[in-house]
C-alpha cells in the first residue's frame, strides 16, 4: 500500500494538534475520529457485525463467556469493535425511568448465585439437578417484579462499544520495525497487512491492549499478522463514514472531525448533568493526557476501570529518549572502565 508520506517526525509525547502533518502529510485534511456516547448504547452489536462484514474480519467463536451476555470479551485481532455488557446493582441515576415506587425483586444473577451456593453445600435439588454450574449470568427480569418482602433492587446496564483509540502518540507505530503501521492523512493509525512480519512488538506496546496477532489455522486470512481497527481507511478515502458508525441505530457511535466531536461530547455531558446524571464524564477527550489525546473519545457513566479502560494511559515509548541517553551513558562508563583497565595492565 502506497501511503504518499514522508517519515514520521520524532515526537513521542505531548499535545500535537497537527498529527498528520507531523507524520509528513501535506494538505489541510482535518483529523477524523469517533465519539462514543455509552449512555445511549443498547448493546445491539450492530457495530461489531458491520465491522466484520465490511473489513472481512473472521468470527472469533461467538461463544457466551458465562459472565455476561457478551460473546467477544475484548478487543483483539478478530474483534475490532467490542460491545461491553456490565450489570450494576444501582439505579440509573437521577433520570425518571417511570417506575418510581414499583417494588422489584433481586437481580436474577443474585438469585442464581444464591441457589448455586445452596446447591454446592449439599441441596442440589434447589436447581432441579444433581449437578450445578454457577454461570453468574446477569438479570433477565424486568423492573416491576415483587419479592415477598416488597423490596426494590435497582440495577442498570452499562454498555459501551470499544475500539482502537488511534492515539496521537501511538506506541504501536513507534516500535514497528517494518513500517507496517503508519499514520494516515486523517490522523488515524493503520496496519499494512502486506508489510507486517508478525513480530508482535506492537502488542505489548499498546497501553489499551487493542492490537494483537490473529490466531487461526494456517492459510486463513492474515493469521500471525497484527490486526486492529483502521477506522475504515478505505471508506474515508472516498468520503464515506466508517461501517460501525453507519450501522449504529442510536447514534451512540458518532464519526466526524475531531474538534467538532469534542464540542459535541462536552455539550452532551452538560446535558446529562442537568438531567440528573452527575456521574457522566468524558474519557480521552483532551490532548493533555499521557498519549497526547486520542482519535476516539468516550462518554462514560462510571470510572474507566469499570469498563476495563486504563484511568491514566501513557504511551509506552514516551521515555525512550531518556532510556537511550541512560544506556549511552552506561556504555561510555563501561568503555572508559575497560580502557583504564587495559592501560593499567600494559604498564
Amino acid at each position: 500500500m502506497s501511503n504518499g508520506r514522508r517519515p514520521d517526525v520524532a515526537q513521542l509525547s505531548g499535545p500535537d494538534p497537527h498529527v498528520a502533518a507531523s507524520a509528513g502529510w501535506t494538505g489541510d485534511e482535518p483529523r477524523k475520529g469517533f465519539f462514543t456516547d455509552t449512555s445511549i448504547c443498547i448493546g445491539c452489536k450492530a457495530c461489531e457485525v458491520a465491522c466484520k462484514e465490511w473489513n472481512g474480519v473472521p468470527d472469533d467463536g461467538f461463544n457466551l463467556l458465562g459472565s455476561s451476555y457478551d460473546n467477544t470479551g475484548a478487543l483483539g485481532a478478530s474483534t475490532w469493535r467490542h460491545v461491553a455488557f456490565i450489570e450494576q446493582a444501582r439505579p440509573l441515576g437521577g433520570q425518571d425511568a417511570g417506575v418510581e415506587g414499583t417494588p422489584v425483586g433481586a437481580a436474577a444473577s443474585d438469585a442464581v448465585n444464591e441457589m448455586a451456593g445452596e446447591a454446592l453445600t449439599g441441596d442440589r435439588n434447589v436447581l432441579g439437578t444433581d449437578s450445578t454450574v454457577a454461570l453468574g449470568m446477569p438479570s433477565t427480569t424486568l423492573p416491576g417484579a415483587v419479592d415477598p418482602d416488597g423490596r426494590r433492587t435497582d440495577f442498570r446496564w452499562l454498555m459501551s462499544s470499544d475500539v482502537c483509540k488511534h492515539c496521537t502518540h501511538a506506541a504501536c507505530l513507534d516500535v514497528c520495525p517494518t513500517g507496517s503501521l503508519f499514520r494516515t492523512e486523517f490522523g488515524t493509525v493503520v496496519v499494512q497487512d502486506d508489510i507486517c512480519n508478525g513480530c508482535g512488538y506492537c502488542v505489548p506496546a499498546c497501553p489499551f491492549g487493542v492490537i494483537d496477532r490473529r490466531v487461526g489455522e494456517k492459510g486463513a486470512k492474515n493469521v500471525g499478522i497484527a490486526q486492529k481497527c483502521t477506522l475504515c481507511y478505505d471508506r474515508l478515502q472516498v468520503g464515506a463514514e466508517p461501517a460501525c458508525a453507519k450501522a449504529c441505530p442510536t447514534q451512540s457511535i458518532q464519526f466526524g472531525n475531531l474538534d467538532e466531536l469534542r464540542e459535541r461530547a462536552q455539550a452532551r455531558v452538560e446535558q446529562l448533568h442537568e438531567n440528573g446524571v452527575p456521574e457522566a464524564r468524558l474519557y480521552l477527550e483532551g490532548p493533555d493526557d499521557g498519549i497526547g489525546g486520542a482519535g476516539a473519545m468516550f462518554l462514560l457513566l462510571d470510572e474507566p476501570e469499570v469498563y476495563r479502560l486504563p484511568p491514566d494511559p501513557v504511551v509506552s515509548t514516551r521515555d525512550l529518549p531518556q532510556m537511550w541517553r541512560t544506556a549511552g551513558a552506561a556504555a561510555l562508563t563501561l568503555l572508559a572502565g575497560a580502557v583504564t583497565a587495559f592501560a593499567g595492565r600494559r604498564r
Side-chain angles (χ1 to χ4, degrees):
M1 180 188 297
S2 175
N3 53 48
R5 64 183 178 91
R6 297 191 297 273
D8 291 356
V9 173
Q11 181 178 342
L12 299 176
S13 63
D16 186 355
H18 307 291
V19 64
S22 297
W25 290 96
T26 57
D28 56 356
E29 184 67 49
R31 186 176 181 181
K32 304 293 185 181
F34 287 124
F35 164 47
T36 301
D37 183 351
T38 70
S39 69
I40 55 176
C41 177
I42 59 175
C44 67
K45 287 184 175 280
C47 55
E48 287 192 21
V49 175
C51 176
K52 286 181 178 294
E53 287 185 343
W54 180 262
N55 295 291
V57 179
D59 74 81
D60 40 14
F62 300 121
N63 298 315
L64 286 175
L65 305 179
S67 58
S68 78
Y69 291 118
D70 186 10
N71 61 354
T72 47
L75 293 172
S78 295
T79 303
W80 295 1
R81 268 279 180 187
H82 167 244
V83 179
F85 285 66
I86 303 165
E87 185 188 45
Q88 289 186 322
R90 57 180 294 180
L92 292 172
Q95 303 175 98
D96 182 7
V99 293
E100 184 177 358
T102 304
V104 175
S109 54
D110 295 336
V112 169
N113 290 335
E114 182 178 350
M115 288 191 294
E118 293 177 3
L120 289 173
T121 59
D123 188 4
R124 297 179 183 273
N125 290 329
V126 172
L127 295 178
T129 178
D130 58 0
S131 62
T132 178
V133 176
L135 295 178
M137 293 297 289
S139 173
T140 58
T141 57
L142 295 174
V146 181
D147 72 355
D149 299 323
R151 295 175 301 179
R152 173 178 177 79
T153 301
D154 289 322
F155 71 90
R156 68 174 181 174
W157 283 106
L158 296 182
M159 297 176 180
S160 172
S161 181
D162 197 9
V163 72
C164 173
K165 313 309 182 289
H166 295 276
C167 307
T168 296
H169 299 293
C172 60
L173 188 155
D174 293 337
V175 302
C176 180
T178 65
S180 169
L181 282 144
F182 77 98
R183 181 83 60 182
T184 75
E185 66 268 37
F186 305 103
T188 59
V189 179
V190 173
V191 180
Q192 300 176 94
D193 300 336
D194 56 341
I195 299 179
C196 178
N197 65 0
C199 68
Y201 292 167
C202 56
V203 177
C206 176
F208 300 97
V210 167
I211 194 166
D212 202 359
R213 289 182 295 182
R214 182 166 294 162
V215 176
E217 297 181 2
K218 187 176 181 180
K221 180 181 178 180
N222 291 336
V223 169
I225 302 301
Q227 298 283 271
K228 72 173 191 67
C229 162
T230 67
L231 219 149
C232 286
Y233 183 41
D234 53 345
R235 294 174 66 96
L236 300 192
Q237 289 176 308
V238 296
E241 65 180 321
C244 57
K246 186 74 173 178
C248 181
T250 65
Q251 293 188 326
S252 170
I253 301 172
Q254 301 176 36
F255 164 77
N257 296 339
L258 208 57
D259 290 340
E260 296 176 6
L261 291 177
R262 288 195 181 103
E263 294 178 4
R264 197 182 305 172
Q266 188 59 50
R268 174 60 176 161
V269 168
E270 292 173 0
Q271 179 186 37
L272 286 173
H273 288 176
E274 292 173 358
N275 291 343
V277 190
E279 64 269 30
R281 70 204 70 191
L282 293 178
Y283 180 68
L284 303 182
E285 80 285 2
D288 299 321
D289 56 25
I291 58 173
M297 69 191 77
F298 301 80
L299 186 154
L300 305 179
L301 297 179
D302 209 325
E303 298 291 342
E305 298 93 319
V306 173
Y307 298 85
R308 297 184 180 179
L309 295 169
D312 187 20
V314 174
V315 58
S316 55
T317 53
R318 180 186 62 180
D319 297 324
L320 276 179
Q322 181 59 42
M323 292 168 63
W324 280 113
R325 286 193 291 269
T326 302
L332 289 175
T333 300
L334 289 173
L335 179 61
V339 170
T340 301
F342 180 76
R345 182 177 299 178
R346 292 193 61 180
R347 292 197 200 98

